[in-house]
Amino acid sequence: MENIYGKNGLQKVINASGRMTKLGVSTISDGVGKTLVEAAGNYVLIDSLFEFAGKKIGEMTGAADACVTSGASAAIALSVASLICGDNLSLVQHLYDRLPYIDKREVIMLKGHNVDFGAPVAEMVQIGGGRIVEVGFANGSKLSDIENAVNKNTLAILFVKSHHCVQKEMVDVKDTIELANRLNIPCIVDAAAEEDLSRYINMGADIVCYSGAKAIEGPTSGFAVCKTSELASNMRLQYKGIGRAMKIGKEGIMGLVQAISENLNGEHTPVVTKEDLVPFVEKINAVPGCKAEIIQDEAGREIYRAKISFNKEEYGFSAREMISKLCEGETAVYTRDYQANLGSLAIDPRPLKSKDELNYIYSRIEEIGKEGK
Ligand SMILES: *Cc1c(COP(=O)(O)O)cnc(C)c1O
């Protein structure tokens, strides 16, 4: 059966790539779907809804409070803006007019964290009024790089926890949070795609930003869990300023709360598991010129993927060529392409909608290999 996108003439997508914004991030459960419809069909006092959701997310994650946003990007922007403005409504309403006269807005981040996740993290900080102070080097950094950059104009330290970041020779998140706490500087963690909603707040981070659609598999949304209720309420105040351009609706808020609750109750079991990858990898290994193995996530999360390397002489195509070949045709297969320059691609089983999709990927790889002959 064709889905709503196919019916409208859009190419069918098999997502073996991960929670990718360019592919629609994730898909929601029936429970979240029902919640969205019911919430969208009724009125509510929005300020009370924001407070309810913040308190509820706080209870579920062990944080004091939380602020719901339209995405993790908005959470970064609003957290920076809220640290500049505090509870000063007039400053919230005139932030950009006053910014040139505000010195205390430096946000320290490691060079290896200044990444483009689809949009640059630094832009989100600057939307919030922050001024980026980059420390360390592209191939490594030390805690002292952060400490040495701290001065009277330091607003916050931003730590980006992501596979997009440089992973080697980098400062540890826990050490960074401890340093920030010791220096009495707010520490913001961008944990957009992370699955553990309590880890960084438990380490002592002040504000931790998550995407609602990535690991949580909720609707397009985001949230920041906060160390104090005051931080969350100052973030919410930003909706009277720049936050308005990042509005999230009532259905998004309720859908997010439902998705977090389902996620924490372990209700989101992927259709295709690590176990299903075992026979898949075996079959791929029987294709001449292909070598497959199961590997763990680069950032150390409990995620397992099938890595497939292509020997161009024997198979006919390189990994880079395969990545684009798989995207052609009536049904496109999107794979993880971060290692293409090293001759491999990866299959992420989590976003697959059925075991048939995994079989389809195998048959495409077998088929294309024959064409290459
Ligand atoms: C995806 C991502 C974001 C943005 O999240 P949205 O919810 O799409 O706004 C921010 N930071 C990192 C590291 C990401 O991976």
Side-chain angles (χ1 to χ4, degrees):
M1 201 183 60
E2 260 194 312
N3 68 34
I4 189 167
Y5 302 116
K7 281 179 203 153
N8 284 285
L10 294 157
Q11 191 185 27
K12 186 175 178 214
V13 169
I14 291 180
N15 179 4
S17 173
R19 276 68 184 245
M20 299 304 190
T21 291
K22 69 169 185 177
L23 300 178
V25 200
S26 60
T27 55
I28 54 170
S29 70
D30 291 347
V32 171
K34 283 197 191 101
T35 305
L36 288 176
V37 172
E38 193 179 336
N42 289 284
Y43 295 106
V44 64
L45 286 176
I46 291 293
D47 286 350
S48 314
L49 179 61
F50 265 101
E51 278 172 31
F52 156 80
K55 194 158 163 272
K56 185 89 188 160
I57 294 171
E59 277 165 18
M60 291 193 283
T61 59
D65 201 342
C67 177
V68 178
T69 61
S70 61
S73 317
I76 297 167
L78 297 186
S79 61
V80 170
S82 72
L83 292 174
I84 294 174
C85 300
D87 62 0
N88 182 338
L89 177 61
S90 150
L91 189 48
V92 170
Q93 290 172 327
H94 303 279
L95 177 61
Y96 284 17
D97 279 345
R98 307 255 178 98
L99 266 188
Y101 313 103
I102 298 173
D103 293 325
K104 191 173 173 176
R105 56 189 179 96
E106 292 183 2
V107 176
I108 299 173
M109 78 186 294
L110 300 173
K111 196 179 191 76
H113 284 188
N114 198 348
V115 296
D116 183 332
F117 56 79
V121 173
E123 291 302 295
M124 307 310 137
V125 172
Q126 290 169 100
I127 289 172
R131 189 187 280 144
I132 297 282
V133 175
E134 235 187 41
V135 301
F137 295 94
N139 63 342
S141 59
K142 296 188 296 296
L143 203 57
S144 57
D145 294 331
I146 300 177
E147 187 159 9
N148 290 339
V150 170
N151 65 65
K152 64 177 191 334
N153 294 330
T154 303
L155 178 76
I157 295 169
L158 172 64
F159 193 100
V160 182
K161 187 83 183 114
S162 166
H163 68 275
H164 291 296
C165 295
V166 172
Q167 304 293 333
K168 282 184 195 145
E169 309 291 334
M170 291 296 277
V171 176
D172 180 65
V173 61
K174 190 159 186 280
D175 295 341
T176 306
I177 293 170
E178 276 169 15
L179 173 73
N181 285 342
R182 178 159 63 76
L183 300 175
N184 213 6
I185 294 165
C187 185
I188 304 170
V189 178
D190 171 6
E194 293 291 297
E195 311 200 306
D196 194 326
L197 305 183
S198 307
R199 183 152 184 240
Y200 306 108
I201 203 80
N202 285 345
M203 283 180 183
D206 294 84
I207 299 175
V208 190
C209 306
Y210 291 93
S211 179
K214 290 182 178 170
I216 314 302
E217 300 179 286
T220 301
S221 59
F223 57 101
V225 294
C226 300
K227 190 188 256 177
T228 65
S229 218
E230 192 190 354
L231 285 170
S233 113
N234 288 347
M235 269 185 84
R236 291 191 284 261
L237 193 65
Q238 287 294 324
Y239 283 109
K240 299 196 188 306
I242 62 165
R244 183 57 180 252
M246 311 166 201
K247 179 164 146 177
I248 174 167
K250 54 193 183 297
E251 65 285 351
I253 298 174
M254 287 310 288
L256 172 67
V257 170
Q258 175 69 18
I260 295 174
S261 152
E262 289 182 10
N263 188 276
L264 292 174
N265 292 331
E267 286 171 42
H268 284 194
T269 41
V271 185
V272 180
T273 62
K274 184 186 167 193
E275 284 65 44
D276 295 316
L277 290 181
V278 177
F280 171 77
V281 158
E282 246 171 60
K283 285 200 297 185
I284 294 282
N285 274 323
V287 176
C290 292
K291 198 178 143 306
E293 60 180 322
I294 297 174
I295 52 156
Q296 194 176 354
D297 177 59
E298 307 89 337
R301 293 172 297 177
E302 277 297 309
I303 301 169
Y304 294 88
R305 305 187 176 95
K307 175 182 167 186
I308 310 175
S309 310
F310 296 88
N311 178 338
K312 186 172 163 130
E313 324 268 83
E314 215 187 327
Y315 182 76
F317 298 105
S318 67
R320 174 86 61 204
E321 287 165 336
M322 271 312 278
I323 287 161
S324 40
K325 280 207 156 286
L326 285 167
C327 296
E328 290 165 6
E330 214 172 298
T331 301
V333 177
Y334 280 85
T335 56
R336 283 176 91 80
D337 59 4
Y338 300 115
Q339 305 266 328
N341 57 334
L342 302 173
S344 70
L345 57 78
I347 304 295
D348 192 327
R350 296 171 304 159
L352 294 177
K353 304 280 291 169
S354 70
K355 297 200 204 302
D356 286 347
E357 291 193 340
L358 191 61
N359 291 331
Y360 181 80
I361 296 171
Y362 162 73
S363 58
R364 285 295 287 151
I365 290 176
E366 199 201 16
E367 228 168 68
I368 296 171
K370 283 181 188 153
E371 282 170 27
K373 293 280 144 31

